[in-house]
Amino acid sequence: MALLKKFVWMILVFLPLLAIAQRLPFGLSAKHYALTFTPDLQKATFTGDEMLDVEVNKASTEFTLNAVELEFQEATISQNEKTQVAKWSFAADKEQVTLTVTDALEPGPASIHIKFTGN
C-alpha cells in the first residue's frame, strides 16, 4: 500500500511538468479556432483551413504553434488591417511549426490563417 501511495504521489508531482513541456512559448495566446477539414477518403488524406484568433503577448516576428504531420500551402498573419505572408519552418521532433513575418506584430489581437494538407 505504501508503494502505491508513493507512485500516486509521484504521478501527481510530475504530471504537471509534462504539461508544461507541451505549452507554447509566451509570444501568443490562442483565443478562438475556426477549422474546416475536407477529407479525401480514396487517398486517406485531408485538406484544411484554419483561422486562429490570437493575442500577441510580446512584439515579435516569429510565432510557434503546434503542428504534426501537416504540410502548409499558405500562411498569413493579420493585425490592424495589415496582412503579411508568413514563412514557416517545422520542428518535427517538437511537433511544432514557427511562422515568421517581415514586420513585427505588436501586443494585441491578431489573426493567423493557414491552409494545409495532412494524412
Side-chain angles (χ1 to χ4, degrees):
M1 186 68 163
L3 184 59
L4 179 60
K5 286 182 181 178
K6 286 182 182 179
F7 182 70
V8 170
W9 182 83
M10 287 175 51
I11 290 174
L12 292 175
V13 168
F14 291 110
L15 193 58
L17 296 176
L18 294 174
I20 290 170
Q22 295 298 317
R23 293 203 174 118
L24 296 175
F26 177 71
L28 284 180
S29 299
K31 298 298 180 187
H32 181 262
Y33 292 87
L35 297 164
T36 303
F37 295 99
T38 305
D40 183 335
L41 300 177
Q42 298 295 325
K43 296 179 183 176
T45 63
F46 61 90
T47 60
D49 190 278
E50 175 183 27
M51 182 61 81
L52 176 59
D53 293 328
V54 297
E55 186 72 21
V56 176
N57 301 314
K58 178 181 171 186
S60 182
T61 58
E62 292 186 344
F63 300 96
T64 301
L65 306 171
N66 292 321
V68 62
E69 296 183 14
L70 297 176
E71 293 181 24
F72 284 17
Q73 277 69 55
E74 179 183 320
T76 58
I77 302 179
S78 301
Q79 186 180 52
N80 298 329
E81 299 183 26
K82 178 181 180 181
T83 299
Q84 299 183 66
V85 174
K87 295 180 181 179
W88 56 85
S89 61
F90 284 94
D93 58 326
K94 294 181 180 181
E95 298 182 347
Q96 295 180 335
V97 62
T98 299
L99 300 177
T100 305
V101 291
T102 303
D103 299 325
L105 274 65
E106 297 300 321
S111 295
I112 300 172
H113 183 220
I114 302 169
K115 292 185 179 184
F116 57 90
T117 59
N119 50 2

